[in-house]
């Protein structure tokens, strides 16, 4: 039996592409590439893989992706999404895995002209060339609109069973979902945080201050973020759950109200008394009781201190 690797985003298009290829009696291994900005595999992904009979794995490319994100050769999309370079990176990684998985080609859920940055016909071809996979990427949803690939020419894939989808419409995908018995329709794409303008402000701050690390990117997903100095940030929990996540970290410098009626603040980076004062005054701003001392906890040692509340103007100045 022939085997293919599929780039799996968790969206409907990548799932349909896998099913179209499987229909041709080809075994599919779906790979979800973790960039740090897309969600890991969810329960629903596992349900699909079991229901439709394909294997599924996560591949962590965060470190490589971060260097692409800091300086993308082909630039950013509407926000901080470096889609062309991201796709090239994923395809190169998939190519590296082809011999390990004994796969003879790669499948993607791309649709010609669906997205402005990376799915125009000429961009699709450019990405294919840059990833050194000419003729080895099959796009089942738009295959009939593109030149025949090697697996088609070799008779592994019947071109007549591919589709000619084009543009942003979703109607034909929904009909295909019905045909294959996909009851719960996944989102069109995997939900990349780099397309969210507010989240991108925080990512940009990390890039500017050269702090783009796995740990710092994970921290962006919780709390309000404040840049207190070139080397220091404060992360403020927004609810009990976030406060607990912050406080449960093994190490860190924490500030929180002694009566617990307010946020936990985590100071990250390098800080002096000045930054500790700023963080304490921010903590008081978000605390219910304005006359309460703050607990300062550092490496297990605790002390209590009163702070002055920060003004509205100042808090706006520090907010990322
Ligand atoms: S939206 Fe995000 S995950 Fe998708 S190609 Fe662009 S950068 Fe990569």
């Amino acid at each position: 039996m022939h085997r293919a690797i599929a780039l799996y985003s968790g969206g409907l298009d990548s799932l349909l592409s896998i099913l179209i290829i499987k229909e041709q009696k080809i075994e599919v291994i779906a790979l979800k590439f973790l960039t740090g900005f897309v969600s890991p595999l969810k329960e629903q992904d596992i349900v699909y893989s079991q229901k439709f009979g394909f294997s599924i794995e996560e591949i962590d490319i965060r470190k490589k992706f971060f260097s692409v994100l800091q300086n993308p050769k082909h630039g950013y999309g509407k926000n901080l999404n470096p889609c062309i370079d991201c796709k090239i990176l994923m395809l190169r990684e998939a190519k590296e895995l082809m011999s390990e998985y004994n796969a003879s080609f790669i499948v993607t859920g791309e649709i010609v002209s669906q997205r402005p940055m990376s799915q125009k016909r000429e961009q699709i071809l450019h990405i294919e060339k840059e990833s050194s996979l000419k003729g080895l990427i099959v796009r089942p949803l738009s295959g009939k609109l593109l030149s025949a690939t090697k697996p088609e020419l070799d008779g592994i894939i019947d071109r007549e069973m591919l589709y000619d989808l084009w543009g942003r419409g979703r109607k034909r995908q929904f009909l295909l979902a019905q045909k294959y018995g996909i009851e719960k329709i996944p989102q069109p794409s995997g939900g990349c945080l780099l397309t969210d303008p507010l989240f991108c402000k925080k990512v940009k701050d990390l890039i500017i201050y050269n702090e783009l690390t796995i740990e710092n990117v994970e921290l962006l997903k919780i709390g309000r973020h404040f840049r207190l100095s070139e080397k220091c940030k404060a992360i403020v929990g927004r609810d009990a759950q976030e406060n607990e996540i912050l406080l449960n970290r093994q190490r860190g410098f924490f500030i929180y109200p002694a009566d617990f009626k307010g946020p936990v603040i985590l100071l990250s980076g390098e800080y002096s008394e000045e930054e500790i004062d700023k963080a304490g005054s921010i903590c008081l701003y978000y605390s219910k009781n304005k006359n309460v001392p703050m607990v300062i906890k550092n490496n297990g040692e605790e002390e209590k201190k009163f702070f002055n509340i920060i003004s509205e103007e100042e808090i706006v100045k520090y907010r990322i």
Side-chain angles (χ1 to χ4, degrees):
M1 194 186 238
H2 292 284
R3 194 181 278 174
I5 283 178
L7 266 53
Y8 181 75
S9 68
L12 178 60
D13 298 347
S14 61
L15 179 59
L16 288 173
S17 299
I18 291 170
L19 301 187
I20 295 166
I21 292 300
K22 272 195 59 68
E23 216 171 23
Q24 304 216 16
K25 306 275 175 279
I26 293 164
E27 191 182 333
V28 178
I29 298 151
L31 300 182
K32 171 119 192 188
F33 287 98
L34 302 182
T35 61
F37 300 96
V38 292
S39 57
L41 286 174
K42 298 192 185 108
E43 208 187 314
Q44 188 61 46
D45 299 309
I46 310 298
V47 170
Y48 292 141
S49 78
Q50 287 168 350
K51 175 173 177 183
F52 297 112
F54 59 90
S55 57
I56 195 164
E57 285 177 35
E58 289 175 338
I59 308 281
D60 187 350
I61 55 165
R62 286 179 291 180
K63 282 192 179 155
K64 288 182 185 170
F65 183 75
F66 290 176
S67 56
V68 164
L69 178 60
Q70 289 183 85
N71 192 17
K73 185 175 161 191
H74 297 87
Y76 299 105
K78 204 171 160 204
N79 296 292
L80 268 186
N81 45 317
C83 293
I84 295 179
D85 293 289
C86 175
K87 289 207 166 146
I88 293 170
L89 173 65
M90 288 182 189
L91 286 166
R92 283 181 181 162
E93 293 294 310
K95 184 172 180 261
E96 289 291 306
L97 294 167
M98 277 173 73
S99 57
E100 188 181 318
Y101 289 100
N102 200 15
S104 46
F105 63 96
I106 290 171
V107 179
T108 76
E110 289 162 299
I111 292 176
V112 173
S113 291
Q114 188 187 53
R115 289 175 206 277
M117 189 181 186
S118 59
Q119 287 183 216
K120 284 191 185 145
R121 187 189 298 263
E122 56 280 19
Q123 283 155 345
I124 284 180
L125 298 178
H126 177 71
I127 290 168
E128 186 169 299
K129 194 171 156 221
E130 286 264 318
S131 48
S132 309
L133 280 164
K134 206 160 180 290
L136 290 175
I137 304 174
V138 178
R139 302 165 180 94
L141 292 169
S142 283
K144 276 189 180 157
L145 301 174
L146 298 161
S147 308
T149 57
K150 189 169 183 299
E152 290 165 67
L153 297 171
D154 290 348
I156 299 171
I157 285 182
D158 176 1
R159 187 174 172 83
E160 282 313 303
M161 291 173 76
L162 303 181
Y163 289 82
D164 57 355
L165 271 63
W166 183 92
R168 298 175 72 91
R170 306 288 299 153
K171 210 171 152 193
R172 290 184 68 197
Q173 283 95 311
F174 292 145
L175 289 174
L176 281 172
Q178 236 175 31
K179 171 188 162 180
Y180 288 110
I182 301 170
E183 283 145 18
K184 202 171 165 196
I185 305 279
Q187 292 295 311
S189 78
C192 175
L193 289 167
L194 292 173
T195 59
D196 172 345
L198 288 180
F199 192 84
C200 285
K201 275 175 80 177
K202 297 186 279 183
V203 179
K204 198 163 189 177
D205 172 83
L206 290 186
I207 294 175
I208 290 170
Y209 292 99
N210 209 13
E211 291 176 1
L212 199 64
T213 62
I214 290 176
E215 188 183 15
N216 287 340
V217 168
E218 285 310 305
L219 278 171
L220 293 190
K221 296 169 190 170
I222 58 167
R224 298 180 175 94
H225 288 240
F226 296 85
R227 169 66 57 188
L228 302 184
S229 72
E230 275 195 19
K231 292 195 172 162
C232 180
K233 266 181 73 179
I235 299 150
V236 183
R238 288 173 296 193
D239 53 35
Q241 197 189 357
E242 289 189 347
N243 289 341
E244 204 179 316
I245 294 172
L246 289 174
L247 210 49
N248 280 344
R249 290 169 61 86
Q250 290 196 332
R251 57 192 168 80
F253 191 106
F254 305 97
I255 301 177
Y256 51 89
D259 64 359
F260 290 101
K261 290 183 177 162
V264 169
I265 291 195
L266 169 70
L267 273 187
S268 73
E270 293 172 26
Y271 34 84
S272 63
E273 280 304 314
E274 197 183 334
E275 282 82 39
I276 294 170
D277 277 349
K278 281 180 200 168
S281 61
I282 291 172
C283 197
L284 190 59
Y285 179 91
Y286 287 109
S287 296
K288 221 169 177 181
N289 184 352
K290 307 298 180 201
N291 297 312
V292 72
M294 298 293 144
V295 175
I296 298 175
K297 190 172 170 188
N298 187 18
N299 287 329
E301 288 189 16
E302 290 182 20
E303 61 167 303
K304 284 185 188 161
K305 192 177 169 184
F306 281 94
F307 292 96
N308 293 320
I309 194 163
I310 195 166
S311 67
E312 292 274 352
E313 299 83 68
E314 265 201 299
I315 206 156
V316 170
K317 196 172 89 191
Y318 295 123
R319 182 84 192 255
I320 302 168

